[in-house]
Amino acid sequence: MTFLRIENLDKTYTVNKEKKTIIHDFNLSCKQHDFICIIGKSGCGKSTLLKIIGGFDSQYSGQVKINDEKILSPNIDKILIFQDFNQLFPWKTVKENVLFPLKVNQKKKNFDSIDAVADKYIEMVGLRDYHHYYPHQLSGGMKQRVALARALALEPIVLLMDEPFSSLDALTRESLQGLLHEIWKKIKSTIIFVTHDIKEAIKLSTKIVIMGLPPDSTKYVIDNTLPFPRGEMDSTHLSFYNEIRGFLEE
């Protein structure tokens, strides 16, 4: 059954009284619990697409639906995680950052319930011993783990991630890729993940979307059937890598 359906999506901006097309005739469908990686050249509309799916931008033509309902506005069913390390509240501890959206959205009925939820997801991202740390006491990778825990605590049906690991060093990025994959196996959320890294897309995804510049926004949609876990690249991975790179360079 189709979970997310995007049909004939067009997005334009007006710049100096002239219309500029960012996305043209984009189409995509996926099932619940898919892990979609979106790659493409800068300026092809990847981040704009995430904002539309998240309900932050409703000024478009075409259809964007989840469970056959049109996305009209942001809500806690669709959470967006950014690349920026400074998306946490600097005056709140790790635990307080994760608790905050639960309190605001009254996700659980009482403090004991939300406290347990916060603890669950802080432990899931590997920060059990850092509850009382403040953001300035954390590394960039640890901050992204907190942002992930905060998003997961709301138990969204769609987790949108805009190049969340791109500013990290190679070892930290690889560690967080492995962590995210393990978390994805445990949760019910569909993940839509923007990246410029072909290896990252191959390692994580069930489906790879290659976006092009208008008018060819839906360039390729490729099912990634390589078996998990996906470690070092072997000849099969390398062949897939070269195929995707060739599509990107067209």
Side-chain angles (χ1 to χ4, degrees):
M1 179 179 176
T2 298
F3 170 68
L4 169 68
R5 185 185 303 278
I6 303 174
E7 296 179 336
N8 310 120
L9 174 64
D10 275 70
K11 173 63 186 178
T12 61
Y13 290 112
T14 300
V15 181
N16 296 328
K17 298 183 179 180
E18 293 186 6
K19 286 189 174 182
K20 178 177 176 61
T21 299
I22 304 299
I23 300 173
H24 176 67
D25 196 25
F26 181 82
N27 295 276
L28 175 67
S29 63
C30 70
K31 303 185 297 295
Q32 189 170 10
H33 202 238
D34 267 344
F35 196 127
I36 311 296
C37 280
I38 300 174
I39 59 177
K41 295 178 180 178
S42 295
C44 70
K46 301 184 296 297
S47 295
T48 299
L49 178 62
L50 287 192
K51 291 175 184 175
I52 290 172
I53 296 171
F56 299 99
D57 186 341
S58 59
Q59 301 302 307
Y60 61 85
S61 61
Q63 296 290 323
V64 183
K65 295 182 176 181
I66 291 177
N67 287 330
D68 212 31
E69 292 187 7
K70 187 172 181 179
I71 297 171
L72 299 174
S73 62
N75 59 46
I76 61 173
D77 285 338
K78 306 179 296 295
I79 303 296
L80 178 58
I81 296 178
F82 302 95
Q83 174 183 346
D84 187 359
F85 294 156
N86 297 314
Q87 55 192 301
L88 303 176
F89 297 118
W91 61 89
K92 290 183 180 292
T93 64
V94 167
K95 178 76 168 281
E96 289 167 345
N97 265 283
V98 177
L99 281 171
F100 179 79
L102 292 169
K103 292 178 179 178
V104 169
N105 293 285
Q106 297 182 336
K107 187 70 176 178
K108 302 294 180 182
K109 295 297 184 182
N110 57 61
F111 183 81
D112 289 340
S113 295
I114 64 172
D115 199 59
V117 170
D119 287 343
K120 171 185 175 181
Y121 288 105
I122 290 170
E123 182 163 359
M124 187 179 288
V125 301
L127 293 177
R128 180 177 59 185
D129 297 329
Y130 293 86
H131 282 68
H132 303 299
Y133 280 59
Y134 287 89
H136 74 272
Q137 297 172 306
L138 305 175
S139 67
M142 293 169 77
K143 290 177 183 177
Q144 291 300 74
R145 288 173 185 250
V146 179
L148 179 57
R150 185 173 64 180
L152 292 171
L154 290 169
E155 299 175 345
I157 60 174
V158 179
L159 184 60
L160 305 164
M161 307 186 77
D162 195 357
E163 298 191 70
F165 307 149
S166 62
S167 297
L168 301 171
D169 65 83
L171 288 176
T172 303
R173 184 166 62 247
E174 185 176 333
S175 173
L176 284 177
Q177 289 167 355
L179 174 69
L180 181 61
H181 174 71
E182 289 303 311
I183 289 172
W184 170 71
K185 290 193 299 183
K186 297 174 183 176
I187 63 176
K188 297 179 180 179
S189 302
T190 298
I191 297 180
I192 304 177
F193 186 105
V194 166
T195 180
H196 278 98
D197 187 335
I198 299 173
K199 290 182 181 179
E200 185 169 64
I202 291 173
K203 183 175 182 178
L204 294 174
S205 68
T206 60
K207 191 187 298 284
I208 296 174
V209 178
I210 301 175
M211 291 185 69
L213 297 170
D216 193 19
S217 291
T218 317
K219 202 167 184 180
Y220 295 97
V221 179
I222 306 165
D223 289 326
N224 186 354
T225 58
L226 292 172
F228 289 110
R230 299 168 184 162
E232 294 298 319
M233 292 186 71
D234 58 20
S235 58
T236 304
H237 290 69
L238 184 59
S239 176
F240 194 26
Y241 175 95
N242 289 333
E243 179 184 12
I244 294 169
R245 181 169 181 172
F247 291 152
L248 285 168
E249 292 176 348
E250 287 181 356

